[in-house]
């Protein structure tokens, strides 16, 4: 098959899969109040439609990436997106809230298969030095879906009811799934044919489930004994996982990924950036509606510059990544993101639409840049045989980060008096600043290591031949 056609199909599949997941999350948020009334559900039950999905996804992402490395990302993608579309349609016909929760957990399993494959396919189809723009286009599509989701979801819920939003992804999922099964891609390397490391997958799942469940519970119950015990389980399971991975013959996370300081820095940046971004959006939306008394549409318009900059800025970030390198580009992105959080932290009742929009604009520009650069570093750094695992780790960071950001903001808001932007956003700015420091560990400008090495050879000679 023509390699150019396969790359275009791969990019279309990657974008479609990423958009399906992003759109699903945003339209569900809009549909939840109507769903609760229609199914006579409690608030806790409705929350589990999100929590159950999140736990299923977070616990399986890395293992799903490993499946793609072993059996082929295109095949795993096909199973994931077809299953995602089928469960989405089934939710639309669900008779009660218990069925919705169960199907959302099942959808999370298929979402876990789908998400790492969208990056693994790109790594297999494109040379490592040309991944920036495909990842940027994928990031722009996610930003567009996140911005359009509330509008599309609101229109569908108003006109047709909550069930309609779950049919959005069915046709695109069916088309891309069938194409992925029908179109044969390039021959797959057999290097990743080792074991699947089920014990390692179980240990990682325990750590991630405990972490997500603990963070999700903090906004409702605050910091409790259960929260402390949850973090103890996270640390114990995490330590056991690292110990196991260093000793097993076929680790779930290969050493070129687990032992890489660059990969660790990229993951830390993604967690810090997504925590600051989503935590700030949560606090900002609450502040605009509860304190400034804006309606949801006015709130969305105030935050719109952030979504626009994320969509438009991602391709620019890919160009900067190629010319300036990951370190400088990520440093600029994290600085913009941190500045945006700090600007929003100073809002008060006298704040104008311009100052509010400026804060969100910096958020979107910074976060879009960080998404492109850190993801590109992560996927490039892993070998082609570990691309699925790298994609799984990236998606895990992008699930844990927002949960951490919202939990931090909610806890600090509960400790204060009323809705105050200052304390929670100052804390989130500190989290974002950690990402600024981690940016220094990413690769420098293209060719810089080669120039430094050549200068060293010129100055001191090249061994015996000098």
């Amino acid at each position: 098959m023509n390699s150019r056609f396969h790359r275009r199909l791969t990019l279309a599949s990657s974008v479609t899969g990423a958009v399906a997941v992003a759109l699903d999350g945003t339209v569900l948020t809009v549909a939840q109040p109507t769903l609760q009334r229609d199914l006579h559900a409690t608030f806790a039950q409705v929350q589990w439609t999100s929590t159950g999905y999140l736990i299923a996804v977070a616990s399986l992402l890395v293992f799903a990436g490993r499946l793609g490395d072993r059996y082929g990302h295109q095949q795993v993608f096909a199973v994931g997106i077809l299953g995602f579309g089928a469960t989405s349609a089934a939710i639309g016909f669900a008779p009660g809230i218990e069925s919705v929760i169960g199907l959302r957990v099942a959808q999370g399993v298929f979402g876990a298969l789908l998400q790492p494959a969208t990056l693994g396919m790109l790594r297999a189809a494109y040379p490592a030095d040309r991944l920036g723009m495909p990842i940027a286009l994928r990031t722009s599509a996610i930003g567009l879906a996140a911005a359009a989701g509330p509008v599309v979801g609101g229109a569908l819920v108003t006109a047709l009811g909550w069930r309609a939003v779950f049919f959005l992804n069915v046709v695109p999922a069916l088309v891309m799934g069938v194409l992925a099964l029908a179109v044969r891609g390039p021959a797959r390397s057999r290097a990743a044919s080792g074991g699947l490391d089920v014990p390692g997958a179980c240990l990682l799942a325990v750590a991630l489930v405990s972490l997500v469940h603990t963070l999700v519970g903090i906004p409702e119950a605050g910091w409790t004994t259960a929260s402390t015990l949850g973090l103890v389980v996270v640390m114990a399971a995490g330590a056991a996982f690292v110990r196991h991975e260093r000793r097993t013959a076929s680790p779930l996370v290969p050493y070129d990924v687990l032992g890489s300081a660059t990969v660790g820095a990229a993951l830390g940046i993604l967690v810090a950036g997504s925590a600051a971004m989503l935590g700030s959006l949560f606090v900002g939306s609450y502040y605009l509606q509860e304190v400034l008394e804006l309606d949801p549409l006015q709130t969305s318009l105030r935050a719109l510059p952030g979504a626009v900059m994320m969509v438009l800025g991602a391709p620019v970030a890919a160009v900067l990544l190629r010319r300036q390198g990951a370190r400088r580009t990520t440093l600029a992105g994290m600085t913009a993101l941190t500045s945006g959080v700090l600007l929003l932290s100073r809002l008060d009742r006298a704040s104008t639409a311009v100052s509010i929009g400026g804060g969100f604009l910096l958020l979107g520009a910074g976060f879009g840049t960080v998404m492109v650069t850190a993801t590109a570093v992560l996927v490039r750094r892993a070998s082609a045989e570990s691309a699925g695992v790298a994609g799984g780790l990236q998606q895990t960071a992008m699930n844990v980060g927002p949960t951490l950001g919202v939990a931090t903001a909610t806890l600090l808001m509960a400790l204060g008096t009323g809705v105050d932007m200052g304390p929670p956003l100052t804390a989130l700015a500190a989290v974002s600043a950690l990402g600024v420091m981690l940016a220094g560990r990413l690769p420098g400008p293209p060719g810089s290591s080669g120039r430094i090495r050549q200068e060293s050879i010129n100055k001191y000679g090249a061994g015996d031949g000098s």
Side-chain angles (χ1 to χ4, degrees):
M1 183 182 59
N2 183 277
S3 60
R4 179 176 297 180
F5 171 77
H6 180 258
R7 286 178 182 172
R8 290 176 177 175
L9 178 61
T10 298
L11 181 57
S13 298
S14 179
V15 168
T16 302
V19 167
V21 173
L23 197 61
D24 177 82
T26 54
V27 298
L28 174 64
T29 302
V30 176
Q32 280 179 330
T34 308
L35 181 153
Q36 181 179 358
R37 290 193 299 269
D38 189 36
L39 297 182
H40 308 290
T42 65
F43 180 75
Q45 287 175 318
V46 173
Q47 286 298 101
W48 268 100
T49 63
S50 297
T51 302
Y53 173 89
L54 181 60
I55 288 176
V57 166
S59 63
L60 293 173
L61 281 168
V62 178
F63 185 64
R66 180 61 175 162
L67 288 175
D69 289 333
R70 183 172 182 183
Y71 297 109
H73 300 296
Q74 194 166 310
Q75 289 77 9
V76 173
F77 170 83
V79 173
I81 198 165
L82 288 172
F84 194 88
T87 50
S88 188
I91 293 170
F93 292 110
I97 188 63
E98 293 82 4
S99 301
V100 173
I101 294 172
L103 287 167
R104 282 287 290 170
V105 172
Q107 191 177 37
V109 174
F110 289 112
L113 293 173
L114 163 65
Q115 293 180 59
T118 63
L119 288 172
M121 290 190 302
L122 290 180
R123 178 66 177 86
Y126 288 86
D129 60 350
R130 294 178 58 188
L131 275 170
M133 191 56 71
I135 290 175
L137 295 175
R138 179 179 178 275
T139 301
S140 292
I142 292 173
L144 184 60
V151 178
V152 174
L156 285 174
V157 172
T158 301
L160 302 172
W162 67 268
R163 296 179 185 274
V165 302
F166 289 101
F167 295 108
L168 270 177
N169 293 321
V170 175
V171 173
L174 178 63
V175 171
M176 299 312 301
V178 170
L179 281 175
L181 290 174
V183 178
R184 186 180 299 275
R188 183 173 61 87
S189 171
R190 302 299 300 176
S193 58
L196 291 175
D197 188 18
V198 174
C202 291
L203 286 171
L204 183 59
V206 169
L208 291 173
V209 167
S210 300
L211 178 60
V212 171
H213 188 270
T214 300
L215 293 176
V216 168
I218 288 174
E220 183 177 352
W223 193 266
T224 64
T225 302
S227 304
T228 303
L229 290 175
L231 290 184
V232 170
V233 173
V234 171
M235 291 186 288
F241 171 74
V242 172
R243 178 184 174 90
H244 170 81
E245 292 297 285
R246 288 177 173 174
R247 295 186 173 189
T248 187
S250 299
L252 175 67
V253 182
Y255 184 76
D256 67 323
V257 178
L258 184 66
S260 170
T262 302
V263 169
L267 288 173
I269 288 166
L270 287 171
V271 171
S274 59
M277 174 70 174
L278 275 297
S280 298
L281 284 176
F282 174 79
V283 178
S285 298
Y286 206 86
Y287 186 84
L288 293 178
Q289 294 185 54
E290 295 297 321
V291 177
L292 301 188
E293 299 180 347
L294 302 179
D295 61 36
L297 177 59
Q298 291 172 320
T299 299
S300 299
L301 291 175
R302 295 292 193 280
L304 186 60
V308 172
M309 284 304 300
M310 184 173 171
V311 173
L312 299 180
V316 176
V319 175
L320 291 175
L321 175 64
R322 187 171 65 250
R323 295 179 178 178
Q324 300 296 324
R327 184 186 306 152
R328 291 177 180 175
T329 308
T330 306
L331 181 61
M334 288 304 304
T335 301
L337 178 58
T338 305
S339 300
V341 178
L342 289 173
L343 183 58
L344 290 176
S345 73
R346 299 179 64 84
L347 295 182
D348 54 31
R349 292 182 180 274
S351 298
T352 65
V354 173
S355 60
I356 296 171
F360 284 112
L361 185 146
L362 287 171
L363 283 183
F367 185 63
T369 300
V370 168
M371 276 273 289
V372 172
T373 54
T375 300
V377 167
L378 185 58
V379 178
R380 285 178 183 175
R381 204 71 178 184
S383 64
E385 293 76 26
S386 303
V389 169
L393 290 170
Q394 190 267 359
Q395 292 293 318
T396 300
M398 294 303 298
N399 277 275
V400 171
T403 310
L404 174 63
V406 172
T408 300
T410 306
L411 182 61
L412 291 174
M413 288 169 67
L415 294 176
T417 56
V419 182
D420 184 359
M421 296 280 276
L425 289 188
T426 300
L428 290 172
V431 172
S432 184
L434 292 176
V436 174
M437 292 186 287
L438 288 172
R441 299 186 179 184
L442 298 184
S448 60
S449 59
R451 289 195 302 269
I452 293 172
R453 182 176 181 274
Q454 187 61 50
E455 289 170 2
S456 177
I457 290 174
N458 293 340
K459 183 174 183 180
Y460 297 109
D464 296 336
S466 60

